[in-house]
Amino acid sequence: MKVFNLKCAHGHCFEGWFKSHVAYEDQQARGLLSCPFCESRVIEKTLSAPRLNLSGAQPEAAEATTAETGAADQRDVTVPQQTPVAVHPQGAALAAALKVVRQMLEHSEDVGDRFAEEARAMHANDVPLRAIHGSTSLETAQELAEEGIPVVPLPFAGLLKTPLQ
């Protein structure tokens, strides 16, 4: 198992766990690596310290070698190819914020591209007030704010589609 410190083009740092260095290079060459924060596919390795897991269970003598051949007992092991984990200082704060945002999204109606129209209709009391979320352009969100309609843009929209680590 190889654990590499990785960084995307936007400076988000995370770990990637790979079966081998060759597995990392293969995934990198095929464009399979992506940032868990912004989904950028421009990923590079950064400096990292080696990790040793010395607290694991010791193999029993019967599993370590066989009497007939003296060869090590080999077992099939399934290893995930990439498991990104946040390692930057703001990781805990970002995870907490994403958890709150996801809870808000679970308890609101997704109006999709009709967000601006629905927000304006609620502001004008044309439709009942309710919690909504959706998408709109930055310019339209600014117009809504200027009209006195409170809107909160959600950064890192790609993170909202994936489970928290």
Side-chain angles (χ1 to χ4, degrees):
M1 176 69 70
K2 298 278 186 174
V3 180
F4 295 123
N5 287 340
L6 304 174
K7 183 169 74 171
C8 78
H10 302 287
H12 302 125
C13 298
F14 58 99
E15 287 183 347
W17 294 31
F18 302 90
K19 189 172 185 176
S20 67
H21 183 73
V22 173
Y24 162 78
E25 290 177 351
D26 176 60
Q27 290 181 45
Q28 179 74 313
R30 295 186 329 180
L32 298 177
L33 304 180
S34 65
C35 175
F37 297 101
C38 66
E39 297 182 349
S40 169
R41 296 217 178 263
V42 180
I43 306 295
E44 65 180 32
K45 280 196 306 184
T46 62
L47 293 177
S48 61
R51 295 179 186 200
L52 301 174
N53 185 2
L54 302 177
S55 63
Q58 298 297 321
E60 295 180 19
E63 291 180 352
T65 60
T66 58
E68 292 89 30
T69 64
D73 183 25
Q74 297 189 6
R75 301 186 185 269
D76 292 331
V77 178
T78 303
V79 178
Q81 292 200 5
Q82 179 190 15
T83 306
V85 178
V87 293
H88 58 81
Q90 297 84 17
L94 178 61
L98 286 173
K99 186 174 181 179
V100 169
V101 169
R102 285 185 175 146
Q103 289 173 348
M104 290 171 53
L105 293 176
E106 287 176 11
H107 295 93
S108 62
E109 179 185 346
D110 184 0
V111 294
D113 293 338
R114 300 184 339 269
F115 177 80
E117 293 80 17
E118 289 292 323
R120 285 185 174 115
M122 284 191 294
H123 187 69
N125 293 321
D126 293 338
V127 297
L129 287 176
R130 64 196 190 283
I132 63 170
H133 66 272
S135 59
T136 192
S137 68
L138 179 60
E139 294 80 18
T140 302
Q142 289 171 338
E143 291 171 6
L144 290 170
E146 290 170 2
E147 294 170 26
I149 302 171
V151 294
V152 177
L154 299 176
F156 309 119
L159 276 178
L160 299 172
K161 301 174 193 170
T162 60
L164 288 176
Q165 298 294 332

